[in-house]
Amino acid sequence: MIIVIKPHTPSDSVQRIIDEVAKLGYEPKPIHGAVQTVVAAIGDETTHQSLESLLTWPEVESVLRVQKRYKLASRETRDASTVHVAGHPIGTGQPFCLMAGPCSVESEDQLMTTARAVKAAGAVLLRGGAFKPRTSPYEFQGLGEPGLKLLAAARAETGLGIVTEVLAERDVDLVASYADLLQIGARNAQNFSLIKEAARSQKPILLKRGLSMKIEEWLLAAEYALSEGNPNVILCERGIRTFETYTRNTLDLAAVAIAKKESHLPVVVDPSQGCGRADLVTELCKAAVALAADGLLIEVHPCPAEAWSDGQQQVDLNAFSNLVREIQPFIQLVRP
Ligand code: PEP
Ligand code: MN
């Protein structure tokens, strides 16, 4: 860390700061300028106490971090990683991964119809929520375990892997016994005890970005799963809350590019929650592919107008197959 001391601080006060840096476990290397002293504090910032507390000293102007707060998620630690889900490799240099299916599992007919169609169009993973995080307690909360059973039946028939959300710590074992990829939703993206419990299941984790989460916080949430000994984490950008009202959320495409630079983890994009409008999904998918996202998570419903959740943002089966066709040239360009 770097400690910048205010100009014209008397040398005995400067020395007190240097001594404190040493006391906190860092090797202080002071650089005395004409008016100001800067102290480089050498030590592992991820294991030592943060020196930001020195800001409480009136002589300290600023304290700057040098190391990233996330160690295991950082690109500095390793080259791009690949996460295998139901036998499909996801990550840089791997085939583009299409995950699609309804927002919520509603019925056998709805799920099977969707599963067959998304498989025929080229999806390799089937999404569908059995436990739904709804803003209102009066809205459809998901079918629970019967929904998981329908997902398992869809996998048995189509061979598609299953992506589904785990909402609560107490459900991790249950959901993990059905899922190939455990989704941690935006509302739980900083529920660290849930993330740790999900990671301990050793199932791959799809970590959505929280509604108002900074990129650093998102990567630190991933760090919780990684530090639990589960290396199989996929980041999912799904839009953040902004002042804009033409879209449900603002899909933060810069965050996709930044996450790919900052982290070795695969990054996928959910354009459905990302904008909340079916008419924009195809365009956003093209943009995500062009940005070198590693996959897409798309909401697809046989009859969006009758969907029990998120109808306005789900594309129908025909639109999905057109979408897959339209993004092909972009995939060829980015992943020849
Ligand atoms: C979903 O995928 O249907 C969902 C609820 O996602 P998010 O947590 O991103 O809102
Ligand atoms: Mn949804």
Side-chain angles (χ1 to χ4, degrees), residues 44-141:
D44 187 351
E45 293 170 18
T46 49
T47 54
H48 289 57
Q49 190 179 336
S50 167
L51 294 178
E52 271 143 13
S53 52
L54 287 176
L55 284 167
T56 54
W57 292 35
E59 304 88 349
V60 173
E61 187 172 280
S62 56
V63 176
L64 311 168
R65 271 182 180 278
V66 177
Q67 282 177 284
K68 308 278 185 200
R69 292 170 77 192
Y70 39 88
K71 202 162 42 170
L72 302 172
S74 169
R75 189 93 192 186
E76 288 166 2
T77 329
R78 52 164 298 171
D79 289 338
S81 52
T82 297
V83 174
H84 289 84
V85 179
H88 301 285
I90 303 173
T92 306
Q94 302 298 340
F96 191 74
C97 180
L98 271 178
M99 318 178 200
C103 175
S104 301
V105 178
E106 298 167 9
S107 68
E108 182 177 353
D109 185 41
Q110 172 245 17
L111 188 66
M112 295 311 296
T113 308
T114 313
R116 289 178 197 124
V118 300
K119 161 113 186 180
V124 293
L125 302 178
L126 175 67
R127 65 146 289 150
F131 293 91
K132 294 303 301 177
R134 305 307 301 281
T135 299
S136 160
Y138 306 116
E139 291 164 355
F140 177 55
Q141 304 287 307

XYZ file of all heavy atoms in Angstrom, residues 44-141:
750
model
N 1.895 -8.326 2.015
C 0.746 -8.880 1.291
C -0.540 -8.232 1.798
O -0.992 -8.497 2.907
C 0.703 -10.401 1.480
C -0.366 -11.053 0.630
O -1.178 -10.326 0.022
O -0.386 -12.296 0.573
N -1.128 -7.405 0.943
C -2.324 -6.658 1.352
C -3.532 -7.557 1.595
O -4.491 -7.151 2.233
C -2.679 -5.618 0.274
C -1.651 -4.530 0.164
C -1.858 -3.624 -1.054
O -2.959 -3.614 -1.627
O -0.899 -2.926 -1.408
N -3.486 -8.753 1.012
C -4.656 -9.621 1.186
C -4.587 -10.402 2.496
O -5.577 -10.971 2.923
C -4.788 -10.604 0.005
O -3.528 -11.220 -0.215
C -5.233 -9.898 -1.257
N -3.398 -10.431 3.122
C -3.332 -11.153 4.398
C -3.087 -10.204 5.566
O -3.439 -10.509 6.698
C -2.217 -12.222 4.382
O -0.993 -11.571 4.002
C -2.506 -13.319 3.389
N -2.473 -9.045 5.298
C -2.218 -8.094 6.373
C -3.427 -7.189 6.575
O -4.255 -7.031 5.685
C -1.012 -7.208 6.033
C 0.300 -7.928 6.091
N 0.557 -9.054 5.347
C 1.420 -7.680 6.790
C 1.796 -9.460 5.594
N 2.333 -8.634 6.476
N -3.450 -6.584 7.737
C -4.494 -5.605 8.033
C -4.414 -4.452 7.026
O -3.325 -4.042 6.637
C -4.226 -5.082 9.448
C -5.321 -4.242 10.004
C -4.986 -3.778 11.414
O -4.204 -4.400 12.122
N -5.572 -2.669 11.806
N -5.559 -3.940 6.610
C -5.551 -2.817 5.676
C -5.029 -1.566 6.362
O -5.341 -1.295 7.519
C -6.969 -2.557 5.175
O -6.991 -1.315 4.527
N -4.222 -0.821 5.646
C -3.676 0.419 6.217
C -4.618 1.600 6.003
O -4.304 2.715 6.376
C -2.302 0.709 5.589
C -1.222 -0.318 5.935
C 0.086 0.023 5.241
C -0.993 -0.406 7.446
N -5.796 1.325 5.415
C -6.741 2.418 5.198
C -7.159 3.058 6.519
O -7.559 4.224 6.569
C -7.965 1.928 4.414
C -7.738 2.055 2.916
C -8.325 0.937 2.077
O -9.132 0.144 2.605
O -7.951 0.848 0.894
N -7.019 2.297 7.617
C -7.370 2.862 8.928
C -6.450 4.027 9.293
O -6.801 4.868 10.122
C -7.292 1.771 9.992
O -6.030 1.131 9.900
N -5.291 4.100 8.619
C -4.375 5.225 8.898
C -4.973 6.573 8.454
O -4.476 7.631 8.829
C -3.033 5.014 8.195
C -2.119 3.932 8.786
C -0.872 3.784 7.934
C -1.738 4.261 10.226
N -6.028 6.500 7.661
C -6.691 7.744 7.236
C -7.275 8.504 8.426
O -7.603 9.688 8.321
C -7.808 7.427 6.232
C -7.332 7.096 4.819
C -8.446 6.504 3.988
C -6.776 8.347 4.146
N -7.416 7.804 9.530
C -7.934 8.497 10.726
C -6.863 9.398 11.330
O -7.159 10.213 12.185
C -8.389 7.480 11.794
O -7.296 6.593 12.052
C -9.581 6.669 11.320
N -5.607 9.226 10.920
C -4.532 10.091 11.440
C -4.574 11.415 10.676
O -4.582 11.412 9.431
C -3.158 9.435 11.252
C -2.946 8.218 12.115
C -3.893 7.300 12.475
C -1.730 7.787 12.718
N -3.344 6.321 13.254
C -2.006 6.597 13.429
C -0.414 8.281 12.738
C -1.041 5.905 14.149
C 0.546 7.586 13.452
C 0.240 6.418 14.152
N -4.578 12.535 11.381
C -4.732 13.820 10.686
C -3.609 14.121 9.695
O -3.814 14.859 8.732
C -4.738 14.853 11.817
C -4.274 14.148 13.040
C -4.506 12.682 12.847
N -2.435 13.510 9.873
C -1.312 13.816 8.974
C -1.377 13.017 7.670
O -0.601 13.287 6.744
C 0.043 13.498 9.642
C 0.303 14.188 10.955
C -0.219 13.403 12.162
O -0.975 12.426 11.968
O 0.111 13.795 13.300
N -2.273 12.014 7.609
C -2.308 11.145 6.420
C -3.289 11.700 5.387
O -4.456 11.936 5.685
C -2.689 9.690 6.804
C -2.891 8.818 5.557
C -1.606 9.095 7.691
N -2.761 11.918 4.163
C -3.612 12.496 3.113
C -4.406 11.413 2.386
O -5.593 11.541 2.166
C -2.720 13.241 2.113
C -3.505 14.011 1.079
C -2.571 14.879 0.249
O -2.189 15.960 0.738
O -2.220 14.450 -0.855
N -3.712 10.347 2.003
C -4.430 9.257 1.330
C -3.677 7.941 1.488
O -2.462 7.936 1.764
C -4.633 9.573 -0.158
O -3.406 9.829 -0.771
N -4.424 6.860 1.334
C -3.837 5.515 1.395
C -4.310 4.788 0.134
O -5.510 4.737 -0.147
C -4.319 4.758 2.658
C -3.783 3.325 2.652
C -3.884 5.485 3.923
N -3.361 4.287 -0.649
C -3.709 3.659 -1.922
C -3.343 2.177 -1.907
O -2.254 1.814 -1.461
C -2.938 4.339 -3.069
C -2.996 5.873 -3.096
C -1.981 6.421 -4.077
C -4.399 6.304 -3.475
N -4.267 1.377 -2.391
C -3.996 -0.052 -2.533
C -3.152 -0.298 -3.775
O -3.340 0.373 -4.784
C -5.302 -0.794 -2.782
C -5.954 -1.212 -1.575
C -7.219 -1.988 -1.873
N -7.765 -2.356 -0.588
C -7.345 -3.399 0.104
N -6.452 -4.223 -0.397
N -7.827 -3.655 1.292
N -2.291 -1.265 -3.738
C -1.521 -1.650 -4.915
C -2.065 -2.987 -5.447
O -2.316 -3.133 -6.634
C -0.024 -1.766 -4.574
C 0.769 -2.236 -5.785
C 0.506 -0.440 -4.058
N -2.300 -3.914 -4.525
C -2.790 -5.238 -4.945
C -4.304 -5.231 -5.117
O -5.007 -4.425 -4.500
C -2.443 -6.277 -3.880
C -1.007 -6.742 -3.909
C -0.766 -7.718 -2.772
O -0.644 -7.334 -1.619
N -0.694 -8.985 -3.108
N -4.817 -6.162 -5.926
C -6.258 -6.363 -6.053
C -6.756 -7.001 -4.766
O -6.053 -7.806 -4.154
C -6.572 -7.325 -7.203
C -5.922 -6.956 -8.506
C -6.702 -5.905 -9.222
C -6.087 -5.657 -10.579
N -6.448 -4.386 -11.149
N -7.993 -6.714 -4.423
C -8.554 -7.332 -3.217
C -8.943 -8.785 -3.487
O -9.112 -9.569 -2.575
C -9.771 -6.548 -2.737
C -9.361 -5.193 -2.221
C -10.565 -4.336 -1.989
N -11.260 -4.688 -0.764
C -12.470 -4.240 -0.449
N -13.098 -3.447 -1.280
N -13.023 -4.582 0.683
N -9.151 -9.113 -4.760
C -9.479 -10.498 -5.092
C -8.204 -11.135 -5.627
O -7.502 -10.576 -6.454
C -10.612 -10.579 -6.129
C -10.538 -9.522 -7.203
C -9.812 -9.720 -8.362
C -11.163 -8.292 -7.023
C -9.724 -8.748 -9.333
C -11.078 -7.302 -7.986
C -10.354 -7.538 -9.139
O -10.261 -6.574 -10.093
N -7.895 -12.271 -5.063
C -6.631 -12.924 -5.386
C -6.891 -14.083 -6.340
O -6.299 -14.192 -7.400
C -6.059 -13.454 -4.054
C -4.611 -13.690 -4.055
C -4.006 -13.798 -2.658
C -4.786 -14.590 -1.637
N -4.021 -14.838 -0.397
N -7.831 -14.944 -5.955
C -8.091 -16.161 -6.744
C -8.856 -15.860 -8.026
O -8.725 -16.581 -9.012
C -8.888 -17.165 -5.895
C -8.213 -17.570 -4.594
C -9.154 -18.396 -3.724
C -6.949 -18.376 -4.898
N -9.668 -14.807 -8.014
C -10.460 -14.473 -9.209
C -9.658 -13.649 -10.203
O -10.058 -13.467 -11.341
C -11.716 -13.700 -8.801
N -8.507 -13.147 -9.745
C -7.763 -12.188 -10.569
C -7.070 -12.837 -11.760
O -6.570 -13.962 -11.693
C -6.717 -11.501 -9.687
O -5.834 -10.780 -10.499
N -7.020 -12.088 -12.823
C -6.306 -12.522 -14.028
C -4.808 -12.616 -13.769
O -4.086 -13.282 -14.504
C -6.590 -11.493 -15.129
C -6.119 -11.867 -16.489
C -7.218 -12.556 -17.247
N -6.735 -13.183 -18.449
C -7.513 -13.763 -19.347
N -8.797 -13.807 -19.182
N -6.994 -14.314 -20.406
N -4.354 -11.915 -12.716
C -2.925 -11.978 -12.391
C -2.539 -13.376 -11.911
O -1.388 -13.780 -11.983
C -2.589 -10.974 -11.269
C -2.622 -9.534 -11.728
C -2.626 -8.541 -10.566
O -2.564 -8.964 -9.386
O -2.707 -7.340 -10.853
N -3.512 -14.099 -11.353
C -3.225 -15.417 -10.773
C -3.033 -16.491 -11.831
O -2.230 -17.396 -11.675
C -4.416 -15.881 -9.889
O -5.024 -14.753 -9.324
C -4.004 -16.870 -8.851
N -3.826 -16.408 -12.896
C -3.754 -17.476 -13.897
C -4.376 -17.036 -15.220
O -5.070 -16.038 -15.292
C -4.449 -18.750 -13.392
C -5.870 -18.544 -12.890
C -6.595 -19.842 -12.780
N -6.706 -20.468 -14.093
C -7.132 -21.699 -14.297
N -7.470 -22.452 -13.280
N -7.226 -22.191 -15.520
N -4.119 -17.835 -16.255
C -4.723 -17.576 -17.559
C -6.201 -17.961 -17.518
O -6.646 -18.607 -16.577
C -4.020 -18.398 -18.638
C -2.619 -17.860 -18.914
O -2.385 -16.679 -18.611
O -1.788 -18.636 -19.405
N -6.894 -17.607 -18.581
C -8.331 -17.861 -18.665
C -8.682 -19.277 -18.236
O -8.054 -20.238 -18.675
C -8.803 -17.621 -20.088
N -9.675 -19.393 -17.380
C -10.057 -20.730 -16.928
C -11.296 -21.214 -17.688
O -12.060 -20.419 -18.224
C -10.304 -20.742 -15.421
O -11.196 -19.740 -15.061
N -11.450 -22.517 -17.699
C -12.593 -23.146 -18.365
C -13.412 -23.849 -17.299
O -12.863 -24.531 -16.438
C -12.092 -24.186 -19.390
O -11.338 -23.497 -20.388
C -13.238 -24.919 -20.057
N -14.714 -23.647 -17.346
C -15.607 -24.340 -16.416
C -16.430 -25.336 -17.232
O -17.020 -24.967 -18.251
C -16.523 -23.324 -15.691
C -17.548 -24.038 -14.824
C -15.687 -22.357 -14.840
N -16.439 -26.570 -16.792
C -17.222 -27.598 -17.495
C -18.580 -27.745 -16.834
O -18.650 -27.963 -15.630
C -16.483 -28.942 -17.475
C -15.265 -28.949 -18.361
N -14.054 -28.462 -17.941
C -15.104 -29.347 -19.637
C -13.176 -28.570 -18.940
N -13.796 -29.096 -19.976
N -19.615 -27.624 -17.639
C -20.971 -27.816 -17.114
C -21.638 -28.903 -17.945
O -21.768 -28.752 -19.166
C -21.797 -26.510 -17.183
C -23.208 -26.741 -16.643
C -21.117 -25.391 -16.411
N -22.008 -29.958 -17.287
C -22.640 -31.103 -17.964
C -21.829 -31.511 -19.200
O -22.394 -31.788 -20.267
C -24.086 -30.768 -18.336
N -20.525 -31.486 -19.055
C -19.653 -31.925 -20.156
C -19.342 -30.847 -21.173
O -18.565 -31.083 -22.100
N -19.913 -29.652 -21.023
C -19.642 -28.567 -21.979
C -18.615 -27.602 -21.405
O -18.847 -27.018 -20.333
C -20.933 -27.805 -22.298
C -21.987 -28.680 -22.882
N -21.943 -29.128 -24.186
C -23.099 -29.236 -22.341
C -22.976 -29.903 -24.420
N -23.692 -29.991 -23.307
N -17.493 -27.410 -22.108
C -16.495 -26.463 -21.609
C -16.956 -25.021 -21.886
O -17.394 -24.722 -22.994
C -15.240 -26.803 -22.422
C -15.743 -27.484 -23.654
C -17.095 -28.064 -23.357
N -16.848 -24.157 -20.880
C -17.254 -22.754 -21.038
C -16.059 -21.886 -20.671
O -15.469 -22.057 -19.599
C -18.455 -22.411 -20.124
C -19.626 -23.366 -20.423
C -18.889 -20.943 -20.302
C -20.801 -23.246 -19.470
N -15.695 -20.949 -21.548
C -14.577 -20.052 -21.252
C -13.927 -19.576 -22.534
O -14.356 -19.939 -23.642
N -12.879 -18.776 -22.373
C -12.147 -18.249 -23.526
C -11.607 -19.410 -24.365
O -11.068 -20.367 -23.816
C -10.959 -17.394 -23.024
O -11.478 -16.422 -22.125
C -10.234 -16.704 -24.159
N -11.795 -19.310 -25.669
C -11.256 -20.345 -26.558
C -12.134 -21.580 -26.656
O -11.829 -22.513 -27.399
N -13.222 -21.617 -25.915
C -14.139 -22.757 -25.966
C -15.328 -22.399 -26.865
O -15.553 -21.221 -27.141
C -14.637 -23.092 -24.553
C -13.519 -23.402 -23.565
C -12.700 -24.616 -23.958
O -13.149 -25.452 -24.743
N -11.490 -24.703 -23.445
N -16.103 -23.394 -27.268
C -17.287 -23.073 -28.083
C -18.211 -22.121 -27.320
O -18.294 -22.185 -26.090
C -17.962 -24.430 -28.275
C -16.901 -25.444 -28.000
C -15.948 -24.832 -27.023
N -18.868 -21.221 -28.051
C -19.795 -20.289 -27.430
C -20.939 -21.078 -26.782
O -21.469 -22.010 -27.386
C -20.338 -19.322 -28.484
C -21.077 -18.182 -27.882
C -20.384 -17.157 -27.250
C -22.454 -18.125 -27.923
C -21.063 -16.093 -26.665
C -23.143 -17.069 -27.348
C -22.442 -16.051 -26.722
N -21.305 -20.717 -25.561
C -22.279 -21.528 -24.811
C -23.651 -20.851 -24.751
O -23.774 -19.755 -24.216
C -21.755 -21.767 -23.398
S -22.893 -22.757 -22.428
N -24.647 -21.529 -25.269
C -26.009 -20.993 -25.239
C -26.823 -21.688 -24.153
O -26.995 -22.912 -24.183
C -26.686 -21.251 -26.580
C -26.516 -20.197 -27.670
C -27.213 -20.668 -28.937
C -27.086 -18.854 -27.220
N -27.306 -20.881 -23.207
C -28.178 -21.401 -22.150
C -29.525 -20.717 -22.343
O -29.575 -19.491 -22.436
C -27.644 -21.029 -20.769
C -26.150 -21.168 -20.622
S -25.628 -20.656 -18.958
C -23.896 -20.359 -19.282
N -30.573 -21.478 -22.406
C -31.873 -20.864 -22.677
C -32.985 -21.679 -22.041
O -32.836 -22.869 -21.765
C -32.091 -20.781 -24.192
N -34.091 -20.992 -21.796
C -35.250 -21.653 -21.205
C -36.112 -20.624 -20.528
O -35.790 -19.436 -20.516
N -37.206 -21.068 -19.950
C -38.142 -20.109 -19.364
C -37.592 -19.443 -18.104
O -36.703 -19.988 -17.449
C -39.351 -20.978 -19.008
C -38.793 -22.355 -18.834
C -37.643 -22.463 -19.780
N -38.145 -18.295 -17.795
C -37.797 -17.655 -16.520
C -38.119 -18.638 -15.406
O -37.244 -19.019 -14.641
C -38.591 -16.349 -16.365
S -38.334 -15.555 -14.774
N -39.381 -19.088 -15.363
C -39.812 -20.049 -14.336
C -40.275 -21.344 -14.981
O -40.883 -21.327 -16.057
C -41.020 -19.506 -13.564
O -40.733 -18.297 -12.937
N -40.020 -22.431 -14.277
C -40.632 -23.695 -14.671
C -42.098 -23.618 -14.239
O -42.380 -23.350 -13.069
C -39.942 -24.881 -13.955
C -40.621 -26.186 -14.329
C -38.456 -24.919 -14.270
N -43.017 -23.820 -15.203
C -44.446 -23.679 -14.889
C -45.189 -25.013 -14.962
O -46.020 -25.315 -14.113
C -45.093 -22.675 -15.859
C -44.499 -21.269 -15.755
C -44.896 -20.357 -16.911
O -45.785 -20.748 -17.721
O -44.319 -19.257 -17.020
N -44.903 -25.783 -15.988
C -45.617 -27.055 -16.169
C -44.766 -27.966 -17.035
O -43.816 -27.515 -17.692
C -46.961 -26.817 -16.868
O -46.706 -26.405 -18.205
N -45.142 -29.236 -17.052
C -44.405 -30.200 -17.863
C -44.459 -29.797 -19.343
O -43.448 -29.765 -20.043
C -44.997 -31.600 -17.674
C -44.242 -32.652 -18.460
C -44.771 -34.053 -18.228
O -45.646 -34.239 -17.359
O -44.313 -34.968 -18.946
N -45.669 -29.420 -19.764
C -45.841 -29.073 -21.174
C -45.001 -27.849 -21.543
O -44.272 -27.845 -22.540
C -47.338 -28.823 -21.428
C -47.599 -28.590 -22.900
O -46.987 -29.308 -23.713
O -48.372 -27.669 -23.220
N -45.088 -26.811 -20.703
C -44.323 -25.572 -20.977
C -42.826 -25.864 -21.021
O -42.106 -25.400 -21.911
C -44.631 -24.536 -19.873
C -43.781 -23.278 -19.909
C -42.867 -23.137 -18.689
O -42.616 -24.095 -17.960
N -42.374 -21.928 -18.487
N -42.344 -26.658 -20.066
C -40.892 -26.883 -19.994
C -40.413 -27.786 -21.127
O -39.395 -27.493 -21.777
C -40.511 -27.478 -18.635
C -39.001 -27.547 -18.415
C -38.390 -26.140 -18.320
C -38.650 -28.344 -17.171
N -41.151 -28.854 -21.363
C -40.698 -29.799 -22.401
C -40.737 -29.153 -23.782
O -39.818 -29.335 -24.591
C -41.550 -31.078 -22.394
C -41.442 -31.913 -21.133
S -39.757 -32.251 -20.576
C -39.154 -33.203 -21.931
N -41.791 -28.392 -24.045
C -41.893 -27.714 -25.343
C -40.705 -26.779 -25.523
O -40.070 -26.738 -26.590
C -43.215 -26.890 -25.402
O -44.275 -27.749 -25.048
C -43.447 -26.304 -26.769
N -40.390 -26.036 -24.468
C -39.274 -25.084 -24.557
C -37.949 -25.829 -24.694
O -37.100 -25.468 -25.521
C -39.230 -24.180 -23.301
O -40.537 -23.704 -23.036
C -38.286 -23.012 -23.488
N -37.776 -26.877 -23.893
C -36.510 -27.619 -23.901
C -36.227 -28.186 -25.299
O -35.118 -28.045 -25.824
C -36.554 -28.737 -22.860
N -37.250 -28.789 -25.891
C -37.046 -29.385 -27.229
C -36.684 -28.299 -28.238
O -35.788 -28.465 -29.060
C -38.314 -30.116 -27.696
C -38.566 -31.390 -26.908
C -39.857 -32.077 -27.367
N -40.276 -33.047 -26.365
C -41.470 -33.061 -25.759
N -42.404 -32.176 -26.072
N -41.733 -33.976 -24.846
N -37.361 -27.154 -28.145
C -37.124 -26.086 -29.126
C -35.744 -25.457 -28.951
O -35.049 -25.199 -29.942
C -38.216 -25.015 -29.003
N -35.340 -25.199 -27.702
C -34.032 -24.541 -27.533
C -32.898 -25.501 -27.894
O -31.872 -25.093 -28.429
C -33.826 -23.904 -26.119
C -34.870 -22.842 -25.849
C -33.770 -24.929 -25.008
N -33.138 -26.783 -27.627
C -32.131 -27.779 -28.024
C -32.001 -27.803 -29.557
O -30.890 -27.767 -30.102
C -32.548 -29.147 -27.490
C -31.883 -30.308 -28.177
C -30.962 -31.035 -27.280
C -30.227 -32.097 -28.076
N -29.322 -32.864 -27.325
N -33.130 -27.835 -30.239
C -33.107 -27.877 -31.707
C -32.428 -26.641 -32.274
O -31.757 -26.690 -33.301
C -34.531 -27.997 -32.251
N -32.568 -25.503 -31.569
C -31.972 -24.249 -32.063
C -30.478 -24.164 -31.754
O -29.780 -23.341 -32.337
C -32.708 -23.058 -31.454
N -29.984 -24.978 -30.833
C -28.539 -24.973 -30.573
C -28.117 -24.725 -29.139
O -26.924 -24.628 -28.844
N -29.087 -24.610 -28.212
C -28.703 -24.427 -26.800
C -28.125 -25.740 -26.265
O -28.503 -26.827 -26.720
C -29.921 -24.006 -25.980
N -27.196 -25.603 -25.311
C -26.650 -26.817 -24.692
C -27.067 -26.940 -23.225
O -26.978 -28.011 -22.635
C -25.104 -26.907 -24.809
C -24.690 -27.086 -26.266
C -24.407 -25.722 -24.179
N -27.523 -25.834 -22.638
C -28.003 -25.872 -21.256
C -29.413 -25.288 -21.199
O -29.713 -24.321 -21.902
C -27.074 -25.078 -20.317
C -25.591 -25.506 -20.267
C -24.808 -24.583 -19.330
C -25.440 -26.949 -19.809
N -30.238 -25.893 -20.356
C -31.628 -25.444 -20.183
C -31.728 -24.663 -18.878
O -31.357 -25.175 -17.822
C -32.547 -26.671 -20.117
C -34.030 -26.411 -19.813
C -34.700 -25.648 -20.965
C -34.760 -27.738 -19.548
N -32.191 -23.420 -18.956
C -32.406 -22.659 -17.735
C -33.879 -22.753 -17.335
O -34.756 -22.991 -18.179
C -32.000 -21.192 -17.875
C -32.791 -20.357 -18.856
C -32.944 -18.901 -18.393
N -33.857 -18.801 -17.265
C -33.777 -17.885 -16.320
N -32.841 -16.968 -16.340
N -34.661 -17.867 -15.325
N -34.152 -22.516 -16.064
C -35.531 -22.499 -15.592
C -35.516 -22.413 -14.081
O -34.824 -23.183 -13.417
N -36.255 -21.452 -13.544
C -36.268 -21.273 -12.093
C -37.361 -22.112 -11.454
O -38.520 -22.095 -11.881
N -36.976 -22.870 -10.418
C -37.954 -23.600 -9.614
C -38.171 -22.854 -8.296
O -39.228 -22.958 -7.675
C -37.456 -25.015 -9.348
N -37.159 -22.123 -7.878
C -37.257 -21.230 -6.717
C -37.047 -19.825 -7.255
O -35.977 -19.510 -7.762
C -36.198 -21.573 -5.668
C -36.407 -22.919 -5.020
C -35.818 -24.053 -5.548
C -37.213 -23.047 -3.900
C -36.010 -25.304 -4.967
C -37.419 -24.284 -3.309
C -36.818 -25.419 -3.844
N -38.085 -19.004 -7.193
C -38.017 -17.690 -7.832
C -37.917 -16.555 -6.817
O -38.719 -16.464 -5.892
C -39.284 -17.457 -8.681
C -39.428 -18.383 -9.862
C -38.243 -18.323 -10.820
C -37.983 -16.952 -11.400
N -36.759 -16.961 -12.259
N -36.947 -15.653 -7.026
C -36.826 -14.491 -6.147
C -37.727 -13.371 -6.665
O -37.335 -12.620 -7.538
C -35.349 -14.107 -6.317
C -35.016 -14.540 -7.725
C -35.935 -15.665 -8.091
N -38.953 -13.272 -6.191
C -39.883 -12.274 -6.714
C -39.925 -11.045 -5.810
O -39.837 -11.160 -4.588
C -41.287 -12.877 -6.852
C -41.334 -14.160 -7.697
C -40.698 -14.004 -9.089
N -41.313 -12.982 -9.892
C -42.454 -13.114 -10.556
N -43.096 -14.273 -10.534
N -42.947 -12.112 -11.259
N -40.091 -9.900 -6.441
C -40.108 -8.651 -5.679
C -41.287 -8.626 -4.703
O -41.164 -8.138 -3.590
C -40.164 -7.460 -6.661
O -38.988 -7.527 -7.467
C -40.209 -6.129 -5.933
N -42.418 -9.191 -5.138
C -43.596 -9.208 -4.263
C -43.874 -10.627 -3.775
O -43.814 -11.587 -4.558
C -44.812 -8.695 -5.044
O -45.998 -9.120 -4.401
N -44.248 -10.768 -2.524
C -44.576 -12.116 -2.007
C -45.866 -12.677 -2.606
O -46.160 -13.851 -2.440
C -44.721 -11.897 -0.503
C -45.047 -10.456 -0.342
C -44.364 -9.739 -1.478
N -46.647 -11.826 -3.299
C -47.915 -12.295 -3.883
C -47.734 -12.835 -5.295
O -48.667 -13.319 -5.909
C -48.956 -11.163 -3.870
C -49.125 -10.593 -2.480
C -48.792 -9.272 -2.203
C -49.560 -11.407 -1.428
C -48.895 -8.769 -0.918
C -49.661 -10.910 -0.141
C -49.332 -9.584 0.113
O -49.417 -9.107 1.382
N -46.520 -12.700 -5.843
C -46.258 -13.200 -7.190
C -45.795 -14.660 -7.130
O -45.310 -15.126 -6.090
C -45.208 -12.316 -7.871
C -45.753 -10.920 -8.168
C -44.686 -9.870 -8.477
O -43.479 -10.166 -8.386
O -45.070 -8.735 -8.791
N -45.889 -15.335 -8.269
C -45.521 -16.752 -8.362
C -44.101 -16.978 -7.834
O -43.148 -16.361 -8.315
C -45.632 -17.189 -9.830
C -45.209 -18.605 -10.084
C -45.790 -19.663 -9.380
C -44.229 -18.890 -11.032
C -45.402 -20.977 -9.621
C -43.837 -20.197 -11.280
C -44.421 -21.241 -10.573
N -43.978 -17.874 -6.884
C -42.700 -18.081 -6.201
C -41.918 -19.286 -6.748
O -40.858 -19.618 -6.221
C -42.937 -18.290 -4.701
C -43.720 -17.154 -4.035
C -42.886 -15.886 -3.866
O -41.791 -15.924 -3.316
N -43.410 -14.762 -4.356
